[in-house]
Amino acid sequence: MTDLNVDGMALAPGVVETIVSIAVGEVDGVASIGPSSTSGLRSVFGSKPSTQGIDITVDEEEKHISIRVDVYYGYVLPDLAANIRQAISDAVTSQVGIPVGAVDVYIEGMQFAR
């Protein structure tokens, strides 16, 4: 979890991760974020989006975001990864006000049933 200060405003740990989680959850073709075994239980019992599988590194000038996802079968993986990158960049830039330097997408699994 990150501890981030933006123009004198301190963001609590987990805020950026939650923004990323919600943005990626809205991308068509994403089955889950983070480890498959925990995301299913988390969605059943928790009301907050899962932030497991999201790593954020803040350098002096930019943010570097890594995300691990499971996807649904039938999607073109490079296109899906590009959609995930764009969703993260747009959401974080518009809501936090700092541009995202890089987004690494790790597709860790595939689900066949929808």
Side-chain angles (χ1 to χ4, degrees), residues 24-87:
V24 172
E26 295 176 353
V27 174
D28 193 35
V30 174
S32 65
I33 301 167
S36 300
S37 61
T38 60
S39 60
L41 290 173
R42 210 168 176 67
S43 66
V44 171
F45 295 113
S47 60
K48 278 180 69 174
S50 173
T51 58
Q52 288 185 329
I54 301 171
D55 295 314
I56 299 177
T57 307
V58 181
D59 291 340
E60 297 169 2
E61 300 175 7
E62 64 185 15
K63 282 192 287 292
H64 180 91
I65 300 173
S66 298
I67 187 158
R68 300 179 183 287
V69 296
D70 282 359
V71 299
Y72 288 116
Y73 175 78
Y75 287 85
V76 178
L77 299 182
D79 294 344
L80 183 55
N83 292 342
I84 292 169
R85 284 187 195 97
Q86 189 64 50

